[in-house]
Amino acid sequence: MTTRHRISQRKTPLENSEPEALERPRVHSTPKVPTLLAIMVLISVACYFALRELPYGFVQRQSAIQATEDDLEARDASIFSVQGIPGKGKGIIAVRDIKRGEVVLRERPLFVLPSEITTSPTALITRHLSLLTPYEHAQFYNLSYVNFPPDLDPENDFAELALAIFQTNAVSTGVNSVGIFPRMARLNHGCSSAFNVVYTWREKEGMLMVHAIRDIQKGEELLTTYTDTKRPRDQRRAYLLHQYSFHCSCDVCSLPDEKSKESDRRLMSMSELHAQFASWGGGTIDGVQAIEIVKRIWEVGSEEGYLSERGRLAADAAWVAAAHSDAASTNAWAKLAEEWFGYEVGVDSEQVLEMRMLQTQPEGHLAWASRQAIRVPTPDA
């Protein structure tokens, strides 16, 4: 029987509903400099001999990609800097004011692996590391990690160290693959209203995009979220401690107990409302009820300050309206979805283009007239 290995990932993109840091009581540091330099020398030699066997065109393409990455890093430096943050290790700090919807970071992966493999994970990761430049190799080994086997020594067990780094920092790059993004990996975690940026993977460009979902002031830390935080503080903290070995102390988790309970009630309400909305697919509720639930989710989210996933929510409402043959409501919800997708995934994204097209031809929606024709509420009704 073939053994299948699952490559863990620490982050999931916005499209998959879970958009993550790193103080961590059990986070380990990079190997000592002499050891790291020795690794880099070995990798450089391996790269040299590997590149001698590659076609000239491949080397040219790789050089062009590296030049693009250099440009992206230079652009990043005008927006944020990576700094040491007490209790968190390193984090990303805005060096100027950032507007909601602005692209904060674009990054190509160092390498991408399948989510499930039938070979040794350590061997596969080691093979990909051997193809990196010394600079990229240093980027990888400079990342934090958790859950390193306690009976091993990170100074000597480089394959296990690489696996721990990958499992701690890997990000989904589609349905069946995960990748490593060294700059994006510096984003720390915030719950609910505390996180201010979200990220998405763009398959066509082969690039991860990070957008601001609210205005960010100069000097403020950029935070994303490592999990679905629409759950009580105790559950969030327990998950983050188990998965990433840190006790969350974001602004939401640090609220006084009474205010924290109020926040928990709102977040649990949003989660319950999402489940109710999903029942429209099975015909348990009608279109009017479904749209009223969407509006209630929006309202509770505004009270909580939870602004993520609104593009998808409005697009789902447009789906319901189209299914019930209500062109005016479809148009209105598609317009709102276009606005929020613009903030969350970019004005040049496929989602925004889809919502614009839907506004010009609501009848072209895949779900059009698939349910009984009724009038359903618009966002402002």
Side-chain angles (χ1 to χ4, degrees), residues 14 23 68 71 80 82 91 119 121-122 159 170 191 196 234 238 271 275 283 293 298 302 357 378:
L14 179 67
E23 158 221 75
T68 301
D71 291 341
F80 65 81
V82 176
T119 59
T122 53
C191 296
N196 50 25
D234 289 349
S271 183
I293 290 172
W298 205 282
S302 295
M357 293 178 64
T378 63

Side-chain angles (χ1 to χ4, degrees), residues 43-312:
I43 294 298
S44 298
V45 173
C47 287
Y48 171 73
F49 286 105
L51 288 172
R52 287 180 63 186
E53 304 302 319
L54 293 173
Y56 176 66
F58 174 86
V59 177
Q60 282 187 312
R61 288 193 297 274
Q62 292 303 105
S63 298
I65 290 173
Q66 185 57 54
T68 301
E69 280 301 299
D70 292 342
D71 291 341
L72 292 175
E73 289 193 38
R75 177 190 175 279
D76 291 348
S78 69
I79 301 174
F80 65 81
S81 66
V82 176
Q83 301 178 19
I85 299 176
K88 289 186 177 181
K90 293 184 182 296
I92 293 181
I93 305 296
V95 298
R96 62 167 174 79
D97 291 345
I98 300 171
K99 292 292 185 182
R100 180 172 64 176
E102 187 174 345
V103 178
V104 174
L105 185 153
R106 293 183 177 92
E107 186 173 15
R108 297 185 187 279
L110 286 183
F111 57 90
V112 172
L113 300 181
S115 301
E116 291 189 2
I117 59 175
T118 56
T119 59
S120 163
T122 53
L124 185 59
I125 292 170
T126 300
R127 191 180 315 139
H128 279 79
L129 286 172
S130 72
L131 298 175
L132 300 182
T133 66
Y135 175 69
E136 292 169 335
H137 187 264
Q139 281 186 305
F140 178 85
Y141 273 102
N142 198 33
L143 296 175
S144 300
Y145 60 94
V146 297
N147 301 324
F148 186 81
D151 57 328
L152 299 180
D153 179 7
E155 297 271 342
N156 298 309
D157 296 293
F158 302 129
E160 288 295 333
L161 174 61
L163 178 61
I165 291 173
F166 190 89
Q167 290 180 326
T168 302
N169 295 281
V171 179
S172 174
T173 53
V175 177
N176 299 311
S177 61
V178 291
I180 284 288
F181 302 83
R183 300 202 301 282
M184 183 269 184
R186 298 301 183 187
L187 287 170
N188 286 319
H189 168 84
C191 296
S192 182
S193 60
F195 69 91
N196 50 25
V197 299
V198 293
Y199 58 90
T200 50
W201 168 250
R202 291 195 179 181
E203 186 67 36
K204 289 183 178 179
E205 293 98 323
M207 190 173 294
L208 196 79
M209 308 286 288
V210 178
H211 289 84
I213 57 168
R214 63 182 83 237
D215 290 341
I216 301 171
Q217 295 183 345
K218 178 180 179 180
E220 187 177 347
E221 184 178 7
L222 276 58
L223 300 171
T224 190
T225 188
Y226 295 7
T227 182
D228 181 2
T229 62
K230 296 189 291 294
R231 45 184 163 173
R233 177 171 66 180
D234 289 349
Q235 291 183 22
R236 299 194 306 266
R237 280 179 161 173
Y239 172 82
L240 292 166
L241 184 62
H242 175 265
Q243 195 74 12
Y244 305 112
S245 300
F246 73 92
H247 179 79
C248 188
S249 58
C250 73
D251 288 348
V252 178
C253 284
S254 299
L255 289 170
D257 285 346
E258 196 53 46
K259 289 187 177 297
S260 179
K261 290 177 182 177
E262 293 173 3
S263 172
D264 287 351
R265 282 193 288 269
R266 288 190 292 266
L267 292 169
M268 287 188 290
S269 175
M270 291 180 70
S271 183
E272 292 165 0
L273 288 166
H274 273 286
Q276 292 175 26
F277 176 64
S279 69
W280 174 83
T284 305
I285 60 175
D286 63 29
V288 173
Q289 292 171 311
I291 295 296
E292 290 298 344
I293 290 172
V294 168
K295 296 176 74 172
R296 181 58 183 155
I297 293 172
W298 205 282
E299 180 182 347
V300 177
S302 295
E303 293 170 1
E304 173 64 17
Y306 190 102
L307 303 181
S308 182
E309 303 156 20
R310 287 190 160 185
R312 182 74 271 152

